[in-house]
Amino acid sequence: MIVLKFGGTSVANAQRIRDAARIVLDQPAPRVVVVSAAAGVTNALLEAARAAARADTERRAAAIARVHGIHAEILAGIANAQCRDEADIAIADLHAALDRDLEDITAAGELSDRFSDRVVATGEKCLSILMAATIRELGSEARPVFTDTVIATDDRHGAARPDRARTRENADRVIRPLLDAGVTVVATGFIGASAAGETTTLGRGGSDYSATLLGAALDAAEVQIWTDVPGVLSADPRTVPHALVVPEISYDEAQELAHFGAKVLHPRTIRPAVARDIPVRILSTFAPAEPGTVVTRETTSDRIKAITALRGLILLTLDVAELEDLAPAASAAFRVMHERGIEILTVSQSSSRRRMTYLIDAVGGGCPTLQAHLGEALQDSEASVSCEEHVAVLAAVGNGAASTASALSRMMAVLHRAGVKVMATHQQTSNVAMLAVVADDDVARAVNAVHDAFIRPVAERRARRQRRSELMAEAVRVG
Ligand code: ADP
Ligand code: ASP
Ligand code: MG
């Protein structure tokens, strides 16, 4: 059994959905397809929900019209009247339920996370209906499955955590019989349900995570993430236009890349695959014959494979005068961040043992709010807190990243030559990444410089080898 997940751009319109459906039918059954909402739909639904909360009927109507327009274009592309009419009725029901939810939001005068999840889930639900209809039209039995009947989560709306054991039971009950009957299941990405039966979502970009969760629940042989790039690239192509495909990476490397900003994989995607040793392949719907990237337990080589960066972070520094003051101050700071749900990306302690630095996610209110919270918690200690916003972390990812003592100092030298000020560095004990904290504004320069130093030479060697073997083959042919 394989799982194929299609992202927003891969299901953006009727033509793309047909291309995606052909990719599905090229794979042997049993198959589970996981779909995102069409590109732009999740944002439009959120905009409609926020407008509804402000009773801004004009903006709400404009956003909803965009959603209807996208779904209508896809529907119109289904030529078979029966497939189209069935889908039309189901989509109209979902659009009507959406309108009722928006009315309820306006009546409440505010947008709760619970209602936000109900509203955005409409995008994935509509797409699963449209994709199933398209596959049926191409001659293969297919059924939409809304995963608020399968993926069991807690009630953290907007960032729900799945319960793998209950999800497995649900998948066996809801999906397995369909697969056994030869039906291609088209599941909604991104959504689950709490124990109370309320629809939840797994966080933005969460459909990748849905794919591996369902893959693990159904013991898939492989999970394929079909997207708009030909695999995991050596850097974000928007920052480094000449980035190359990385043919193979390990679970650890992929996890690190996703964690430090490579949007191609949702940060939580890899965990469910690791637990059951399922290979994850990243492939392009625009170039389906390309081999893409395969992510497995295996580590192929000890070198830097990709450079990534995460912007918009905060660097928090705690200084104490006496060694013994560090532990109580650090634990008070941890408590404050935990209580406020602030995600900590890295922590490091200076060798003087009088300073801790925390790299953390942006916080509403920024440094002033954070310093106020910490000031209260640290009022009995001698610690002083400094806080810097608009900070980014650059990660050079690859197994053995830091195994040679010179790698980190080489990276520092490269950044220094590029005129990038490094605020902090960090070497992962797992040895899979070297990190440098830089200003947001320096990210493009920093990523390009490190990419040029660590990855470009390898690519050029690879290209020269390829060219030599082509020339030799040509010589043999001519001779
Ligand atoms: P989907 O809608 O298919 O889930 P996303 O937009 O979420 O696609 O992720 C794919 C995008 O991730 C690419 O278009 C690319 O701009 C971005 N990206 C960032 N870093 C990387 C990387 N290292 N390799 C590939 N793509 C990356
Ligand atoms: N549609 C959702 C989003 O835009 C989930 C996803 O695309 O993976 O975040
Ligand atoms: Mg995505």
Side-chain angles (χ1 to χ4, degrees), residues 5 205 208 263-264:
K5 177 261 171 177
D208 301 329
K263 192 187 168 218
V264 66

Side-chain angles (χ1 to χ4, degrees), residues 58-293:
E58 215 167 292
R59 278 193 101 97
R60 168 183 154 183
I64 290 300
R66 289 208 298 282
V67 174
H68 284 194
I70 291 169
H71 294 159
E73 188 269 343
I74 298 172
L75 257 180
I78 302 173
N80 178 297
Q82 194 188 341
C83 294
R84 190 181 56 241
D85 291 347
E86 280 169 16
D88 196 3
I89 292 167
I91 299 271
D93 281 350
L94 286 169
H95 285 170
L98 171 64
D99 280 340
R100 287 194 297 276
D101 283 342
L102 292 172
E103 284 304 311
D104 287 348
I105 292 168
T106 303
E110 60 168 13
L111 178 61
S112 64
D113 292 342
R114 188 169 71 91
F115 262 100
S116 176
D117 277 355
R118 281 170 69 107
V119 166
V120 291
T122 312
E124 270 70 13
K125 289 183 175 177
C126 288
L127 231 294
S128 70
I129 288 164
L130 292 164
M131 174 65 96
T134 306
I135 295 175
R136 268 208 307 282
E137 176 176 53
L138 294 177
S140 184
E141 197 40 56
R143 281 263 293 275
V145 167
F146 296 166
T147 46
D148 43 12
T149 62
V150 181
I151 295 186
T153 71
D154 63 12
D155 59 1
R156 259 183 277 196
H157 286 278
R161 301 287 160 88
D163 175 328
R164 302 237 197 109
R166 275 172 45 225
T167 299
R168 201 175 165 82
E169 283 166 25
N170 293 343
D172 276 339
R173 186 171 39 79
V174 179
I175 296 181
R176 183 87 61 192
L178 291 168
L179 296 178
D180 290 346
V183 176
T184 296
V185 168
V186 185
T188 50
F190 190 40
I191 65 179
S194 65
E198 300 279 2
T199 299
T200 55
T201 61
L202 304 173
R204 294 305 303 267
S207 297
D208 301 329
Y209 191 23
S210 310
T212 52
L213 283 169
L214 290 176
L218 292 158
D219 295 317
E222 181 168 298
V223 173
Q224 301 179 347
I225 307 283
W226 289 87
T227 182
D228 59 359
V229 278
V232 171
L233 301 173
S234 53
D236 185 338
R238 292 165 298 186
T239 309
V240 181
H242 53 275
L244 327 139
V245 174
V246 186
E248 294 163 319
I249 51 171
S250 68
Y251 289 135
D252 285 345
E253 291 167 330
Q255 214 150 279
E256 213 74 358
L257 275 172
H259 188 61
F260 289 109
K263 192 187 168 218
V264 66
L265 287 175
H266 180 274
R268 294 187 190 274
T269 307
I270 296 299
R271 280 254 295 285
V274 176
R276 296 197 174 258
D277 235 331
I278 302 170
V280 178
R281 215 175 272 279
I282 295 91
L283 297 149
S284 167
T285 41
F286 297 93
E290 294 293 315
T293 299

Side-chain angles (χ1 to χ4, degrees), residues 408-464:
L408 188 62
S409 57
R410 211 179 126 212
M411 184 164 96
M412 292 299 107
V414 165
L415 290 170
H416 179 72
R417 269 201 306 278
V420 175
K421 182 177 161 243
V422 177
M423 301 172 193
T425 61
H426 199 83
Q427 214 152 346
Q428 301 287 78
T429 43
S430 63
N431 215 11
V432 180
M434 295 185 295
L435 310 179
V437 179
V438 302
D440 271 351
D441 289 344
D442 284 340
V443 164
R445 204 152 27 111
V447 170
N448 272 286
V450 177
H451 190 272
D452 278 355
F454 283 86
I455 293 174
R456 211 174 189 158
V458 179
E460 283 169 357
R461 269 203 303 280
R462 209 196 288 164
R464 272 201 301 277

Side-chain angles (χ1 to χ4, degrees), residues 206-397:
S207 297
D208 301 329
Y209 191 23
S210 310
T212 52
L213 283 169
L214 290 176
L218 292 158
D219 295 317
E222 181 168 298
V223 173
Q224 301 179 347
I225 307 283
W226 289 87
T227 182
D228 59 359
V229 278
V232 171
L233 301 173
S234 53
D236 185 338
R238 292 165 298 186
T239 309
V240 181
H242 53 275
L244 327 139
V245 174
V246 186
E248 294 163 319
I249 51 171
S250 68
Y251 289 135
D252 285 345
E253 291 167 330
Q255 214 150 279
E256 213 74 358
L257 275 172
H259 188 61
F260 289 109
K263 192 187 168 218
V264 66
L265 287 175
H266 180 274
R268 294 187 190 274
T269 307
I270 296 299
R271 280 254 295 285
V274 176
R276 296 197 174 258
D277 235 331
I278 302 170
V280 178
R281 215 175 272 279
I282 295 91
L283 297 149
S284 167
T285 41
F286 297 93
E290 294 293 315
T293 299
V294 65
V295 189
T296 59
R297 189 173 299 277
E298 260 18 90
T299 300
T300 48
S301 64
D302 280 357
R303 58 176 179 80
I304 303 290
K305 296 189 180 118
I307 316 298
T308 184
L310 199 56
R311 293 177 171 82
L313 305 176
I314 289 179
L315 187 68
L316 190 75
T317 307
L318 208 62
D319 280 299
V320 293
E322 303 297 334
L323 294 183
E324 57 275 18
D325 292 335
L326 191 62
S331 71
F334 269 120
R335 200 186 55 247
V336 168
M337 290 192 265
H338 172 68
E339 282 168 2
R340 303 198 170 260
I342 298 169
E343 202 184 332
I344 305 174
L345 282 98
T346 66
V347 182
S348 53
Q349 185 184 318
S350 72
S351 49
S352 72
R353 288 161 42 210
R354 290 196 186 89
R355 166 175 287 185
M356 288 287 269
T357 42
Y358 305 82
L359 187 65
I360 61 177
D361 251 348
V363 181
C367 279
T369 307
L370 196 61
Q371 271 172 311
H373 295 321
L374 284 166
E376 244 170 69
L378 295 170
Q379 59 190 346
D380 298 332
S381 79
E382 293 293 312
S384 67
V385 178
S386 64
C387 183
E388 196 151 356
E389 288 177 276
H390 310 298
V391 159
V393 61
L394 174 149
V397 177

